[in-house]
Amino acid sequence: MELSRRTFTALAGTAALGLALAGSGGAATGTHGPRDVPTGPPPPPPSADGKRHHIGHDRYSLLVDGRRLVLWSGEMHPFRLPSPSLWRDVLQKLRAGGCNAVSVPVPWNHHSPAPGQYDFTGVRDLDLFLTTAAEERLYVILRPGPYLGSADLDAGGFPGWLTATGGRARTTDPEYLRHVDAWLSAVNRIAVRHLFTAGGGTVLLYQFEDGIEVLADDPAGRAYLTHLYDKARADRIDVPLFHADGRFGDLGTGRQAPRVLAGAAGGAADPWGGAASGGKGYAEVRRAYDAARERRDHLASLADGVTVHNVRVAFGGTSWGWLPSPGVYTSYDHGAAIDEGRRPTPKLAALQQLGHLLRTVPDLARLDPAREVRAEDDRLRVRHLANPDTGAQVYVLHNDSGEPVESMLPGTGVDVPVTVGARDAKLLATGLALGRRRLAYTTAQPMLNTTVGRQDIALFTGRSGETAQVALDCDTEPLTYRLDDEPGWSYDRGRLNVVVPLGVGGLSRVLLVGGDSETPMVLLFADDATALRLWPYETPSGPVLVYGPALLRSVTLRGSTAHLVGDLVGETGLEVWAPRGITAVTWNGRPVRTHVSRAGSLLMEGLLPGAPEVRLPALEGWRRRAENPESEAGFDDSAWPAAGLASSHSTTPVPGGGPVLFADDHGFHYGDVWYRGRFADTRGVTSVSLSYSTGTQGLLMAWLDGRPLGAHRMPAPDEDTARRGTWTATASFDVPEEWRERGPHVLSVLVRPMQHDGDERAKDTHKAARGLVSARFGGASRDVEWRIRGAAAPDRVRGPLNNGGLYGEREGWHLPGFDDREWPGAEFPREERRQGVTWYRTDFRLDVDADVDASIGLTIDDDPERAYRVQIFLNGWNMGQYINDVGPQHTFVLPNGILRTQGTNTLALAVLSDGTTPSGPRDVRLTLLGAALGGVPVEAVDSPGR
């Protein structure tokens, strides 16, 4: 069917998006949708149910099948977790952490090794990811680009081969659009099978482009976005479309729509050298972007009316191979709620608490700004909102000061002082329906309001050390039972007041029986740490609430038994509130002995065990071999391509007289590139000057007739240059007098280009040259015949981003099964000084219990004065780059699946040294990042050897 092309602009916080909402199958959408959808329960969790679904909207929220939906999404990058079976692990953690959706970028460069070639197999299996997301009952926001600059990818996600094509990117240039349309066709053929509108999956929203700004008087920019919109519709993508653009909103003005925030900060990227983290890495980023900051930012968005909310990122992962943008190092932990090792962190509390609140308190899906409220202490800022249907009042309190603030809130009905922690925020409510009772006010933030079995349950959270007070309007006094030592209560003139210190003794429970309702109610109180052990779960038979384990993955109700699956870290108890008729519990397939508690829960007798100790072997038996035969005068380079091009598609000017030496123009887009230049003689030549262009931390090394001339590297970035995508320099080397002799001679140059710049503002910056730009000789001019060599053909399994142009990579020295028995043995630390490349290999065996999910990393430590870098290969997979004297990263996550936790692994290190210091490494060891008893079944990732 023909769908409307109208869009709207939504201004929300740091990101503003145009969202073109349309449905399918007769869905009521946009201005043609229901005029007034009252407050009510949200739609059930989504699945690939084969049914048609209707997507609409009004100014408050999305409408799914006529019900209001607040979309609470966390972004993950499956391409940064190259182990497809672990995608389910992260998706389950997102859902348990309160998300009802996942945002998924699909990078063009990850899937396309050459024009017209698209690979969606193995670690690139988009169909598998979308199927898994539907199985885990998460909506999907699909982001196929074509540009994905916000994901910190090489060239903003553009494939390397695009740098050597004509056509200006992110415009209506026909050559560029021809490539774009082919890419989008490949993605959309998969996406259309997973659209929620047709019941094939859970893809609910589709975002094209990223970070583009189109002004009202920019018809060219508008035409480009219109082309992308039309392409999606022509490919039968009938879910709502949106694009990142704060000023592209006049195609259909006056259309009401909810506010959208597609890039709520879930942390921050850290550049080489750690300019953002003060050199301390992502641990410091996570400290800066802690749970309090997350809560403050997310609540500000809610107060702004944002009901389509995506945290970027909730899980970052690893920028393995040559995947990342120039500005970031290998780890993409991002300081996210789920760390690079897939472990939930304390900051997950903010995401979880608000996610479950928005899911179980429908009043929050329809809020209007209300009259101004001022706290007595003006350090507290108050945002007042109200639901026009229910009369519930919502107050968002912000404390930007460096100390806790306690204040009265005049005119709110909150009769006692409220405390908000330093640099924190809090959502309070009055007049809210809690089951069959009504909340008068609360000084703690609601997290959950549900009915389980024969009783209502309400959960309130706050910081440890705060006191929570909840007041319920009760015409008739209920029987009130304190089920733990901490709570206190009183009843006076139609109001029940419950007071609980948070963080003392874990979970606090209060039972109400009778009074205004025949349905019992359990009030639960938890601080942040305790709340992270409370897990709501929706089943077809009704909600379940579980307290105790480190993670709840799933609940299946069969007969009278609740079968729970999840993770344990430390020893813990188990408490389960379940639907009627459930009298027994199993945990990970094993029966658990329980009894019915006074809180109406099934309470375990005894404790569940924690994860057992995981022992890791020492890395021994190293073997070593020096590399770079390309530097030798007699090396046979006859099969290398000649650098004879006269013109380039690069934005970097070709030096007068040429030739074109840029790596991309010769088909070498990732990793190291070798150049060999032949010339007649060196008589009169006093120096060699080599101009080169790279991303951050680029490196050049040069040899004349096999003798080292020296090395040059780009400087470590500071706060002002951390986002610079392209660095240029000229390295000058003296030629000793005794080397100035008759020819022929060979000048050998190794360049590590690092990655390509992004393409901000459609300026083709991704086409800036990478590699050698020109060569000049001091004292005499010389004509040079150049040959160039980079990476071999892309690895058929690991893809185009895995391998570079080192000799050892081309010869398979990084692969498992390579015969290195003739290599001499080596021990660390190494004191060798040598300009060039040296390889180290060893095998190690792990024997981790099958029931244990162990996250393991490789740690490299050395004297920071030593100047060398290491490319790390695990079972042939390029797991990243370590730069010893820049950092800040020292530990590299080794994803299970690529890492054989029950079997033998091959570790290969390619060490590049400029020869000025000992090249190390000194200390190379395995590190246990965390372990849980549980996890998901892990399938071995194909890692072909030689």
Side-chain angles (χ1 to χ4, degrees), residues 1-7 20-30 32 52-55 192 195 197 206 226 229-241 251 255:
M1 61 181 292
E2 181 65 20
L3 298 168
S4 170
R5 188 178 296 175
R6 290 178 293 180
T7 63
L21 287 145
S24 66
T29 62
H32 304 292
R52 298 201 68 83
H53 295 279
H54 303 259
I55 307 173
V192 76
L195 298 178
T197 44
Y206 180 108
T226 298
Y229 179 97
D230 290 344
K231 172 61 180 170
R233 291 301 187 224
D235 287 346
R236 297 182 294 122
I237 303 298
D238 63 359
V239 298
L241 310 177
L251 293 182
R255 192 177 193 195

Side-chain angles (χ1 to χ4, degrees), residues 60-74:
Y60 294 107
S61 72
L62 294 174
L63 302 173
V64 174
D65 295 332
R67 299 188 185 187
R68 294 199 176 278
L69 173 69
V70 178
L71 203 68
W72 192 249
S73 171

Side-chain angles (χ1 to χ4, degrees), residues 39-187:
T39 299
S47 65
D49 57 11
K51 302 176 182 178
R52 298 201 68 83
H53 295 279
H54 303 259
I55 307 173
H57 69 93
D58 60 14
R59 69 185 180 90
Y60 294 107
S61 72
L62 294 174
L63 302 173
V64 174
D65 295 332
R67 299 188 185 187
R68 294 199 176 278
L69 173 69
V70 178
L71 203 68
W72 192 249
S73 171
E75 182 159 303
M76 72 168 291
H77 298 169
F79 50 89
R80 282 191 164 105
L81 181 56
S83 182
S85 58
L86 290 179
W87 297 342
R88 186 179 302 276
D89 173 71
V90 176
L91 291 171
Q92 288 180 346
K93 287 169 179 171
L94 289 177
R95 188 196 62 224
C99 294
N100 60 11
V102 59
S103 174
V104 187
V106 187
W108 192 353
N109 57 3
H110 183 49
H111 295 273
S112 182
Q117 296 181 19
Y118 306 103
D119 186 349
F120 291 93
T121 65
V123 300
R124 295 165 294 279
D125 194 339
L126 177 62
D127 184 83
L128 174 62
F129 181 87
L130 296 178
T131 297
T132 306
E135 291 172 351
E136 296 305 329
R137 305 181 307 166
L138 289 167
Y139 293 108
V140 174
I141 303 173
L142 194 66
R143 300 178 56 209
Y147 178 73
L148 293 170
S150 66
D152 289 302
L153 293 161
D154 178 87
F158 288 153
W161 56 261
L162 193 68
T163 63
T165 64
R168 186 177 176 184
R170 310 182 77 192
T171 71
T172 55
D173 185 288
E175 184 171 356
Y176 171 69
L177 289 183
R178 176 169 58 86
H179 295 304
V180 164
D181 286 352
W183 160 243
L184 292 178
S185 292
V187 176

Side-chain angles (χ1 to χ4, degrees), residues 459-546:
L459 169 61
F460 298 88
T461 63
R463 277 190 168 189
S464 179
E466 293 181 355
T467 297
Q469 183 160 338
V470 169
L472 298 178
D473 287 328
C474 304
D475 292 337
T476 304
E477 180 178 3
L479 297 175
T480 305
Y481 301 95
R482 181 177 66 183
L483 305 183
D484 298 281
D485 294 337
E486 291 75 30
W489 62 272
S490 65
Y491 180 81
D492 182 44
R493 289 175 293 183
R495 181 164 290 179
L496 178 70
N497 295 283
V498 179
V499 180
V500 183
L502 300 177
V504 181
L507 186 65
S508 293
R509 307 158 184 84
V510 174
L511 173 64
L512 310 181
V513 179
D516 293 351
S517 174
E518 294 301 316
T519 302
M521 167 168 268
V522 176
L523 301 177
L524 302 176
F525 298 87
D527 66 348
D528 284 356
T530 302
L532 281 173
R533 296 169 60 204
L534 279 157
W535 308 105
Y537 193 91
E538 294 289 329
T539 78
S541 300
V544 173
L545 179 63
V546 176

Side-chain angles (χ1 to χ4, degrees), residues 454-820:
R454 295 180 174 86
Q455 58 191 11
D456 297 328
I457 298 178
L459 169 61
F460 298 88
T461 63
R463 277 190 168 189
S464 179
E466 293 181 355
T467 297
Q469 183 160 338
V470 169
L472 298 178
D473 287 328
C474 304
D475 292 337
T476 304
E477 180 178 3
L479 297 175
T480 305
Y481 301 95
R482 181 177 66 183
L483 305 183
D484 298 281
D485 294 337
E486 291 75 30
W489 62 272
S490 65
Y491 180 81
D492 182 44
R493 289 175 293 183
R495 181 164 290 179
L496 178 70
N497 295 283
V498 179
V499 180
V500 183
L502 300 177
V504 181
L507 186 65
S508 293
R509 307 158 184 84
V510 174
L511 173 64
L512 310 181
V513 179
D516 293 351
S517 174
E518 294 301 316
T519 302
M521 167 168 268
V522 176
L523 301 177
L524 302 176
F525 298 87
D527 66 348
D528 284 356
T530 302
L532 281 173
R533 296 169 60 204
L534 279 157
W535 308 105
Y537 193 91
E538 294 289 329
T539 78
S541 300
V544 173
L545 179 63
V546 176
Y547 172 58
L551 178 70
L552 179 70
R553 295 182 180 274
S554 66
V555 179
T556 303
L557 305 181
R558 288 196 298 268
S560 61
T561 302
H563 300 273
L564 313 183
V565 176
D567 292 2
L568 303 170
V569 175
E571 194 177 62
T572 182
L574 180 68
E575 187 170 9
V576 180
W577 286 269
R580 296 182 182 185
I582 299 299
T583 58
V585 172
T586 69
W587 176 260
N588 288 350
R590 298 179 180 178
V592 174
R593 189 179 182 89
T594 63
H595 66 270
V596 178
S597 75
R598 295 178 65 196
S601 60
L602 296 172
L603 187 62
M604 180 181 179
E605 298 175 3
L607 298 174
L608 293 170
E613 180 183 6
V614 175
R615 296 186 178 184
L616 301 178
L619 296 177
E620 300 172 331
W622 289 97
R623 297 165 298 282
R624 169 189 173 276
R625 184 171 177 179
E627 201 221 64
N628 52 280
E630 300 95 333
S631 66
E632 300 299 325
F635 179 79
D636 183 5
D637 60 17
S638 60
W640 288 19
L645 299 176
S647 62
S648 170
H649 290 294
S650 173
T651 55
T652 301
V654 179
V660 176
L661 299 176
F662 311 154
D664 288 300
D665 287 284
H666 294 87
F668 304 121
H669 309 299
Y670 306 112
D672 300 284
V673 180
W674 275 99
Y675 298 86
R676 285 173 57 85
R678 298 181 185 275
F679 57 99
D681 63 56
T682 53
R683 289 177 297 173
V685 174
T686 59
S687 64
V688 177
S689 295
L690 302 171
S691 296
Y692 72 118
S693 177
T694 73
T696 308
Q697 284 300 293
L699 171 70
L700 177 146
M701 293 190 282
W703 295 260
L704 182 61
D705 299 329
R707 296 171 291 195
L709 280 172
H712 186 277
R713 60 190 292 186
M714 300 299 178
D718 55 24
E719 290 185 2
D720 295 330
T721 59
R723 303 303 295 181
R724 181 191 296 178
T726 294
W727 297 69
T728 59
T730 298
S732 295
F733 306 107
D734 293 333
V735 176
E737 186 172 353
E738 60 270 23
W739 295 8
R740 304 171 194 170
E741 53 192 16
R742 291 182 182 274
H745 296 277
V746 178
L747 176 62
S748 301
V749 181
L750 173 64
V751 179
R752 173 154 287 186
M754 302 299 281
Q755 285 79 27
H756 301 83
D757 195 0
D759 190 56
E760 294 292 339
R761 302 181 188 276
K763 294 183 178 180
D764 271 358
T765 52
H766 66 293
K767 291 185 176 181
R770 289 297 182 262
L772 198 58
V773 174
S774 66
R776 301 191 312 276
F777 296 90
S781 61
R782 291 291 182 268
D783 292 329
V784 182
E785 294 181 357
W786 288 101
R787 291 187 179 272
I788 182 173
R789 179 67 197 187
D795 186 303
R796 64 176 180 83
V797 169
R798 300 175 181 97
L801 299 167
N802 193 73
N803 293 354
L806 295 179
Y807 181 85
E809 291 177 286
R810 302 198 305 269
E811 294 296 311
W813 293 6
H814 61 303
L815 297 175
F818 176 81
D819 188 357
D820 59 11

